[in-house]
mmCIF file of all heavy atoms in Angstrom:
data_model
loop_
_atom_site.group_PDB
_atom_site.id
_atom_site.type_symbol
_atom_site.label_atom_id
_atom_site.label_comp_id
_atom_site.label_asym_id
_atom_site.label_seq_id
_atom_site.Cartn_x
_atom_site.Cartn_y
_atom_site.Cartn_z
ATOM 1 N N ASP A 1 40.990 121.043 94.660
ATOM 2 C CA ASP A 1 40.278 120.935 93.396
ATOM 3 C C ASP A 1 38.857 121.451 93.630
ATOM 4 O O ASP A 1 38.006 120.732 94.149
ATOM 5 C CB ASP A 1 40.273 119.467 92.947
ATOM 6 C CG ASP A 1 39.365 119.217 91.750
ATOM 7 O OD1 ASP A 1 38.883 120.184 91.132
ATOM 8 O OD2 ASP A 1 39.119 118.030 91.438
ATOM 9 N N CYS A 2 38.610 122.685 93.240
ATOM 10 C CA CYS A 2 37.329 123.326 93.545
ATOM 11 C C CYS A 2 36.220 122.981 92.555
ATOM 12 O O CYS A 2 35.070 123.393 92.757
ATOM 13 C CB CYS A 2 37.504 124.845 93.576
ATOM 14 S SG CYS A 2 38.421 125.416 95.021
ATOM 15 N N MET A 3 36.538 122.224 91.518
ATOM 16 C CA MET A 3 35.522 121.895 90.519
ATOM 17 C C MET A 3 35.059 120.444 90.615
ATOM 18 O O MET A 3 34.168 120.023 89.883
ATOM 19 C CB MET A 3 36.064 122.168 89.104
ATOM 20 C CG MET A 3 36.688 123.543 88.900
ATOM 21 S SD MET A 3 35.699 124.930 89.554
ATOM 22 C CE MET A 3 34.278 124.857 88.499
ATOM 23 N N GLY A 4 35.646 119.665 91.535
ATOM 24 C CA GLY A 4 35.279 118.258 91.666
ATOM 25 C C GLY A 4 34.215 118.051 92.723
ATOM 26 O O GLY A 4 34.214 118.715 93.762
ATOM 27 N N GLY A 5 33.294 117.121 92.469
ATOM 28 C CA GLY A 5 32.280 116.782 93.457
ATOM 29 C C GLY A 5 30.922 117.387 93.145
ATOM 30 O O GLY A 5 30.789 118.302 92.324
ATOM 31 N N ASP A 6 29.911 116.889 93.826
ATOM 32 C CA ASP A 6 28.524 117.307 93.577
ATOM 33 C C ASP A 6 28.242 118.734 94.022
ATOM 34 O O ASP A 6 27.317 119.368 93.507
ATOM 35 C CB ASP A 6 27.549 116.376 94.317
ATOM 36 C CG ASP A 6 27.699 114.920 93.903
ATOM 37 O OD1 ASP A 6 28.237 114.672 92.802
ATOM 38 O OD2 ASP A 6 27.286 114.038 94.678
ATOM 39 N N ASN A 7 28.995 119.227 94.993
ATOM 40 C CA ASN A 7 28.692 120.530 95.592
ATOM 41 C C ASN A 7 29.754 121.583 95.287
ATOM 42 O O ASN A 7 29.957 122.517 96.067
ATOM 43 C CB ASN A 7 28.525 120.364 97.106
ATOM 44 C CG ASN A 7 27.421 119.386 97.456
ATOM 45 O OD1 ASN A 7 26.294 119.517 96.989
ATOM 46 N ND2 ASN A 7 27.734 118.382 98.261
ATOM 47 N N ALA A 8 30.443 121.388 94.150
ATOM 48 C CA ALA A 8 31.481 122.329 93.740
ATOM 49 C C ALA A 8 30.841 123.552 93.057
ATOM 50 O O ALA A 8 29.813 123.433 92.404
ATOM 51 C CB ALA A 8 32.443 121.635 92.780
ATOM 52 N N PRO A 9 31.462 124.728 93.196
ATOM 53 C CA PRO A 9 32.661 125.007 93.997
ATOM 54 C C PRO A 9 32.360 125.480 95.423
ATOM 55 O O PRO A 9 33.268 125.735 96.196
ATOM 56 C CB PRO A 9 33.331 126.123 93.206
ATOM 57 C CG PRO A 9 32.161 126.907 92.657
ATOM 58 C CD PRO A 9 31.085 125.884 92.356
ATOM 59 N N GLU A 10 31.068 125.598 95.764
ATOM 60 C CA GLU A 10 30.702 126.198 97.055
ATOM 61 C C GLU A 10 31.257 125.412 98.248
ATOM 62 O O GLU A 10 31.830 125.996 99.173
ATOM 63 C CB GLU A 10 29.177 126.331 97.177
ATOM 64 C CG GLU A 10 28.557 127.376 96.275
ATOM 65 C CD GLU A 10 28.423 126.919 94.830
ATOM 66 O OE1 GLU A 10 28.546 125.706 94.579
ATOM 67 O OE2 GLU A 10 28.213 127.786 93.956
ATOM 68 N N ALA A 11 31.073 124.073 98.241
ATOM 69 C CA ALA A 11 31.514 123.259 99.390
ATOM 70 C C ALA A 11 33.029 123.283 99.569
ATOM 71 O O ALA A 11 33.511 123.508 100.690
ATOM 72 C CB ALA A 11 30.998 121.828 99.249
ATOM 73 N N PRO A 12 33.832 123.031 98.508
ATOM 74 C CA PRO A 12 35.283 123.101 98.725
ATOM 75 C C PRO A 12 35.777 124.478 99.142
ATOM 76 O O PRO A 12 36.670 124.589 99.985
ATOM 77 C CB PRO A 12 35.876 122.677 97.368
ATOM 78 C CG PRO A 12 34.764 122.707 96.397
ATOM 79 C CD PRO A 12 33.509 122.526 97.155
ATOM 80 N N VAL A 13 35.173 125.531 98.591
ATOM 81 C CA VAL A 13 35.594 126.883 98.966
ATOM 82 C C VAL A 13 35.250 127.166 100.427
ATOM 83 O O VAL A 13 36.097 127.632 101.197
ATOM 84 C CB VAL A 13 34.945 127.935 98.036
ATOM 85 C CG1 VAL A 13 35.156 129.351 98.594
ATOM 86 C CG2 VAL A 13 35.522 127.832 96.629
ATOM 87 N N GLN A 14 34.023 126.867 100.835
ATOM 88 C CA GLN A 14 33.637 127.115 102.228
ATOM 89 C C GLN A 14 34.437 126.251 103.185
ATOM 90 O O GLN A 14 34.848 126.701 104.255
ATOM 91 C CB GLN A 14 32.138 126.846 102.409
ATOM 92 C CG GLN A 14 31.621 127.217 103.803
ATOM 93 C CD GLN A 14 31.819 128.687 104.136
ATOM 94 O OE1 GLN A 14 31.371 129.567 103.389
ATOM 95 N NE2 GLN A 14 32.516 128.973 105.233
ATOM 96 N N GLY A 15 34.670 124.994 102.815
ATOM 97 C CA GLY A 15 35.480 124.109 103.656
ATOM 98 C C GLY A 15 36.888 124.639 103.839
ATOM 99 O O GLY A 15 37.459 124.568 104.938
ATOM 100 N N ALA A 16 37.453 125.190 102.762
ATOM 101 C CA ALA A 16 38.797 125.775 102.839
ATOM 102 C C ALA A 16 38.815 126.971 103.785
ATOM 103 O O ALA A 16 39.728 127.123 104.605
ATOM 104 C CB ALA A 16 39.258 126.192 101.446
ATOM 105 N N LEU A 17 37.797 127.821 103.683
ATOM 106 C CA LEU A 17 37.731 128.994 104.563
ATOM 107 C C LEU A 17 37.556 128.580 106.022
ATOM 108 O O LEU A 17 38.164 129.170 106.924
ATOM 109 C CB LEU A 17 36.574 129.900 104.136
ATOM 110 C CG LEU A 17 36.625 130.469 102.719
ATOM 111 C CD1 LEU A 17 35.487 131.460 102.499
ATOM 112 C CD2 LEU A 17 37.961 131.127 102.428
ATOM 113 N N ASP A 18 36.745 127.570 106.268
ATOM 114 C CA ASP A 18 36.545 127.074 107.638
ATOM 115 C C ASP A 18 37.842 126.501 108.203
ATOM 116 O O ASP A 18 38.148 126.678 109.386
ATOM 117 C CB ASP A 18 35.453 126.002 107.660
ATOM 118 C CG ASP A 18 34.072 126.567 107.340
ATOM 119 O OD1 ASP A 18 33.897 127.801 107.413
ATOM 120 O OD2 ASP A 18 33.177 125.772 106.996
ATOM 121 N N ALA A 19 38.610 125.823 107.349
ATOM 122 C CA ALA A 19 39.890 125.261 107.789
ATOM 123 C C ALA A 19 40.887 126.372 108.111
ATOM 124 O O ALA A 19 41.626 126.296 109.109
ATOM 125 C CB ALA A 19 40.456 124.332 106.723
ATOM 126 N N LEU A 20 40.915 127.415 107.286
ATOM 127 C CA LEU A 20 41.795 128.557 107.551
ATOM 128 C C LEU A 20 41.452 129.214 108.882
ATOM 129 O O LEU A 20 42.344 129.624 109.635
ATOM 130 C CB LEU A 20 41.661 129.593 106.429
ATOM 131 C CG LEU A 20 42.311 129.277 105.084
ATOM 132 C CD1 LEU A 20 41.992 130.378 104.078
ATOM 133 C CD2 LEU A 20 43.818 129.104 105.214
ATOM 134 N N ALA A 21 40.150 129.299 109.182
ATOM 135 C CA ALA A 21 39.716 129.922 110.429
ATOM 136 C C ALA A 21 40.083 129.078 111.638
ATOM 137 O O ALA A 21 40.319 129.613 112.730
ATOM 138 C CB ALA A 21 38.203 130.142 110.393
ATOM 139 N N GLU A 22 40.165 127.761 111.446
ATOM 140 C CA GLU A 22 40.435 126.867 112.575
ATOM 141 C C GLU A 22 41.921 126.639 112.820
ATOM 142 O O GLU A 22 42.332 126.328 113.936
ATOM 143 C CB GLU A 22 39.743 125.522 112.334
ATOM 144 C CG GLU A 22 39.701 124.640 113.561
ATOM 145 C CD GLU A 22 38.628 123.577 113.493
ATOM 146 O OE1 GLU A 22 37.529 123.861 112.994
ATOM 147 O OE2 GLU A 22 38.903 122.442 113.934
ATOM 148 N N SER A 23 42.740 126.755 111.786
ATOM 149 C CA SER A 23 44.178 126.490 111.947
ATOM 150 C C SER A 23 45.009 127.530 111.216
ATOM 151 O O SER A 23 44.736 127.849 110.054
ATOM 152 C CB SER A 23 44.513 125.097 111.406
ATOM 153 O OG SER A 23 45.916 124.894 111.404
ATOM 154 N N ASP A 24 46.040 128.036 111.896
ATOM 155 C CA ASP A 24 46.951 128.979 111.241
ATOM 156 C C ASP A 24 48.167 128.266 110.653
ATOM 157 O O ASP A 24 49.131 128.904 110.220
ATOM 158 C CB ASP A 24 47.385 130.070 112.213
ATOM 159 C CG ASP A 24 48.187 129.527 113.395
ATOM 160 O OD1 ASP A 24 48.366 128.298 113.486
ATOM 161 O OD2 ASP A 24 48.624 130.339 114.237
ATOM 162 N N GLU A 25 48.113 126.922 110.604
ATOM 163 C CA GLU A 25 49.238 126.144 110.088
ATOM 164 C C GLU A 25 49.133 125.852 108.594
ATOM 165 O O GLU A 25 50.023 125.229 108.027
ATOM 166 C CB GLU A 25 49.351 124.824 110.844
ATOM 167 C CG GLU A 25 49.693 124.963 112.311
ATOM 168 C CD GLU A 25 49.923 123.618 112.971
ATOM 169 O OE1 GLU A 25 51.080 123.146 112.972
ATOM 170 O OE2 GLU A 25 48.956 123.024 113.482
ATOM 171 N N ILE A 26 48.033 126.282 107.960
ATOM 172 C CA ILE A 26 47.843 125.947 106.551
ATOM 173 C C ILE A 26 47.638 127.185 105.680
ATOM 174 O O ILE A 26 47.256 128.254 106.157
ATOM 175 C CB ILE A 26 46.628 125.000 106.356
ATOM 176 C CG1 ILE A 26 45.330 125.678 106.808
ATOM 177 C CG2 ILE A 26 46.838 123.685 107.082
ATOM 178 C CD1 ILE A 26 44.080 124.899 106.439
ATOM 179 N N GLU A 27 47.913 126.988 104.398
ATOM 180 C CA GLU A 27 47.519 127.914 103.339
ATOM 181 C C GLU A 27 46.701 127.097 102.344
ATOM 182 O O GLU A 27 46.925 125.889 102.206
ATOM 183 C CB GLU A 27 48.741 128.499 102.626
ATOM 184 C CG GLU A 27 49.617 129.364 103.501
ATOM 185 C CD GLU A 27 50.845 129.882 102.756
ATOM 186 O OE1 GLU A 27 50.867 129.772 101.504
ATOM 187 O OE2 GLU A 27 51.772 130.364 103.420
ATOM 188 N N VAL A 28 45.779 127.723 101.659
ATOM 189 C CA VAL A 28 44.999 126.997 100.663
ATOM 190 C C VAL A 28 45.180 127.637 99.291
ATOM 191 O O VAL A 28 45.244 128.865 99.162
ATOM 192 C CB VAL A 28 43.507 126.916 101.030
ATOM 193 C CG1 VAL A 28 43.306 126.091 102.287
ATOM 194 C CG2 VAL A 28 42.873 128.282 101.177
ATOM 195 N N ILE A 29 45.280 126.770 98.296
ATOM 196 C CA ILE A 29 45.352 127.195 96.903
ATOM 197 C C ILE A 29 44.089 126.654 96.236
ATOM 198 O O ILE A 29 43.930 125.439 96.080
ATOM 199 C CB ILE A 29 46.608 126.639 96.205
ATOM 200 C CG1 ILE A 29 47.871 127.009 96.982
ATOM 201 C CG2 ILE A 29 46.681 127.135 94.763
ATOM 202 C CD1 ILE A 29 49.122 126.252 96.534
ATOM 203 N N LEU A 30 43.180 127.540 95.885
ATOM 204 C CA LEU A 30 41.923 127.131 95.266
ATOM 205 C C LEU A 30 42.136 127.022 93.762
ATOM 206 O O LEU A 30 42.486 128.013 93.101
ATOM 207 C CB LEU A 30 40.821 128.143 95.587
ATOM 208 C CG LEU A 30 40.584 128.414 97.087
ATOM 209 C CD1 LEU A 30 39.465 129.434 97.264
ATOM 210 C CD2 LEU A 30 40.268 127.129 97.830
ATOM 211 N N VAL A 31 41.938 125.815 93.240
ATOM 212 C CA VAL A 31 42.233 125.545 91.832
ATOM 213 C C VAL A 31 40.927 125.297 91.083
ATOM 214 O O VAL A 31 40.114 124.455 91.497
ATOM 215 C CB VAL A 31 43.165 124.335 91.682
ATOM 216 C CG1 VAL A 31 43.539 124.126 90.214
ATOM 217 C CG2 VAL A 31 44.417 124.506 92.538
ATOM 218 N N GLY A 32 40.731 126.015 89.979
ATOM 219 C CA GLY A 32 39.521 125.832 89.179
ATOM 220 C C GLY A 32 39.214 127.073 88.372
ATOM 221 O O GLY A 32 40.068 127.963 88.214
ATOM 222 N N ARG A 33 38.004 127.136 87.857
ATOM 223 C CA ARG A 33 37.602 128.300 87.071
ATOM 224 C C ARG A 33 37.518 129.518 87.996
ATOM 225 O O ARG A 33 36.704 129.581 88.910
ATOM 226 C CB ARG A 33 36.260 128.033 86.403
ATOM 227 C CG ARG A 33 36.375 126.966 85.302
ATOM 228 C CD ARG A 33 35.037 126.553 84.775
ATOM 229 N NE ARG A 33 35.198 125.607 83.664
ATOM 230 C CZ ARG A 33 34.272 124.731 83.289
ATOM 231 N NH1 ARG A 33 33.112 124.680 83.929
ATOM 232 N NH2 ARG A 33 34.491 123.923 82.280
ATOM 233 N N GLU A 34 38.397 130.474 87.722
ATOM 234 C CA GLU A 34 38.576 131.593 88.652
ATOM 235 C C GLU A 34 37.295 132.372 88.896
ATOM 236 O O GLU A 34 36.996 132.759 90.038
ATOM 237 C CB GLU A 34 39.667 132.535 88.140
ATOM 238 C CG GLU A 34 40.023 133.617 89.131
ATOM 239 C CD GLU A 34 41.292 134.362 88.780
ATOM 240 O OE1 GLU A 34 41.882 134.093 87.717
ATOM 241 O OE2 GLU A 34 41.687 135.233 89.584
#
């Protein structure tokens, strides 16, 4: 959910990218205003 929280959408998007860089076991679906 990229629109929830005080630091949306930058924090969820960056966190997702950092997670992708650290693990090849996940995919992320970014949900929100495109």
Side-chain angles (χ1 to χ4, degrees):
D1 171 10
C2 288
M3 310 313 294
D6 302 339
N7 301 307
E10 290 78 15
V13 169
Q14 186 60 55
L17 300 186
D18 292 343
L20 286 176
E22 193 159 321
S23 173
D24 63 357
E25 295 186 90
I26 62 171
E27 295 178 13
V28 295
I29 306 168
L30 304 180
V31 184
R33 291 172 176 156
E34 187 167 4

